[in-house]
Every structure is written in C-alpha cells, then in structure tokens.
Amino acid sequence: MAFKLNVILASTRPGRVGATIARWIHGMVLEHGTFDAELVDLAELDLPLYNEPRHPLLQRYEHEHTRRWGASVAAADAFVLVTPEYNHGTTPALLNALNYVYKEWNYKPAAFVSYGGASGGIRAVQFTKQILNTLKLVPLVEAVMIPMVAHQLDEEKRFKPSELHLSSAKAMLDELLRWAEALKPMREPR
C-alpha cells in the first residue's frame, strides 16, 4: 500500500509563482513512485479566517469547509509544503490552514519546497517549523530551496529546476518515505 502525500501550495496571491513550483514537485512525487500524491491548493480551498467555535483538539467541527479540510489532512501520511516567504514568515493562508485542525496533523512528516529572493524562503521554513512541532508533525531537514526564483523561470513562467533542485527533491522524498513508514505505528488507533 502506497503512502498518501499532500503537496500543499501555500500561496494564494494572484499571479503567484508557487503554482508552477507546486506542479513541478507534484510531478517529482509521482515520478518517485512511492506515494499517492494529491496537489492541494489553498487558494482553491479558500478557508475563511479561522471560524470554528470549538478548539480543534475536540474535532467537533461546525463548518463543512473544516470537515473537508480535516478529512484531507487526516487522509495524508506525509506533506510537502510549497511556500514563499512573506516578511520573514509563512503565508497567512498556510498559518490559517495549519491552525484549523490538530489531531489530523499528528505523527506525520512534513518537508518544504520554499522559494523567494536571496534567502530562498528559508526564514519562512524556520518560522513554520515551530508551528509544525506544536501540531506533532515532524519537520524534516531535507528540503528544496529556490533562491532568486524569478531567475529559475522560463519565458512561459514555468519553473526550470537545476540539478541541485532535482537531487534535493529526491533526497527529500526518500526521507519523507522513511519517516512516513517509521511514524505509521503512532498514527494507528490505540
């Protein structure tokens, strides 16, 4: 049985670069062949600013959008978060989506594909890792960082990965699989 991996596109900004990067890493996941992969676009999900009346730990969701999001997160065994850096942090949409549910995230690995200017989004990754730890997610060291992302796009604004991006993606996916396997017993009902 293949593990399920959600590639989560964190940018919701019109004209965003992240969509081409998310499609690329989703393709890499499919090529890797060890995960059933789903591309989850937070712009399409369009979660309102957190609006559940009860704490997510209780899993007593009032809104259909929360139930759909919770089911998507619960079904996944691992995550790749595709995120730009906004003011040294993550996107408001990703922070909101992370906070919507709790138990559904627990005991799963998460890796990052980050992009931006000179830092390649690494400050957003460091910021987000603190939140992942609180959600009992295991943030991996292996990642893909894309500095100066505008220089990595072709004439049609498609992402052109370098050999470093390709080898980093493979190492990240190999490690995600190891962690998904290792954490599986912790995700099973007691």
Side-chain angles (χ1 to χ4, degrees):
M1 174 184 127
F3 287 102
K4 185 169 185 305
L5 185 143
N6 282 2
V7 174
I8 299 176
L9 173 52
S11 176
T12 59
R13 183 181 292 178
R16 62 197 170 161
V17 172
T20 187
I21 296 167
R23 286 191 298 272
W24 165 73
I25 195 63
H26 182 255
M28 290 290 297
V29 173
L30 296 175
E31 187 178 305
H32 194 261
T34 55
F35 291 100
D36 288 332
E38 180 179 347
L39 180 54
V40 178
D41 185 343
L42 293 183
E44 290 176 11
L45 186 64
D46 197 25
L47 286 171
L49 192 58
Y50 186 74
N51 65 348
E52 284 290 335
R54 293 174 201 88
H55 194 285
L57 185 65
L58 301 173
Q59 294 182 299
R60 291 177 37 213
Y61 305 127
E62 185 173 296
H63 302 292
E64 181 59 28
H65 57 260
T66 310
R67 288 189 288 273
R68 278 194 314 273
W69 176 234
S72 175
V73 174
D77 298 294
F79 304 94
V80 171
L81 306 175
V82 180
T83 186
E85 181 176 306
Y86 290 176
N87 301 315
H88 295 203
T90 194
T91 69
L94 180 57
L95 183 58
N96 189 47
L98 289 167
N99 285 326
Y100 251 93
V101 296
Y102 178 75
K103 289 183 179 179
E104 294 86 344
W105 295 113
N106 293 176
Y107 310 116
K108 298 174 184 181
F112 290 88
V113 175
S114 64
Y115 58 95
S119 75
I122 193 65
R123 294 174 294 212
V125 170
Q126 291 307 108
F127 173 92
T128 308
K129 282 183 175 184
Q130 296 174 64
I131 297 158
L132 299 188
N133 286 329
T134 302
L135 295 170
K136 297 183 185 179
L137 281 153
V138 177
L140 301 189
V141 171
E142 290 75 13
V144 179
M145 290 169 284
I146 307 167
M148 308 310 286
V149 69
H151 299 293
Q152 304 293 322
L153 304 177
D154 67 16
E155 312 75 50
E156 281 88 44
K157 303 288 184 196
R158 289 180 305 228
F159 177 59
K160 302 179 304 188
S162 69
E163 280 302 315
L164 180 59
H165 299 131
L166 295 170
S167 62
S168 295
K170 183 185 179 322
M172 178 186 75
L173 293 172
D174 289 346
E175 198 66 7
L176 266 173
L177 179 62
R178 289 182 63 151
W179 278 97
E181 290 170 340
L183 292 170
K184 185 175 177 16
M186 294 182 75
R187 292 191 303 275
E188 293 171 354
R190 299 183 99 184

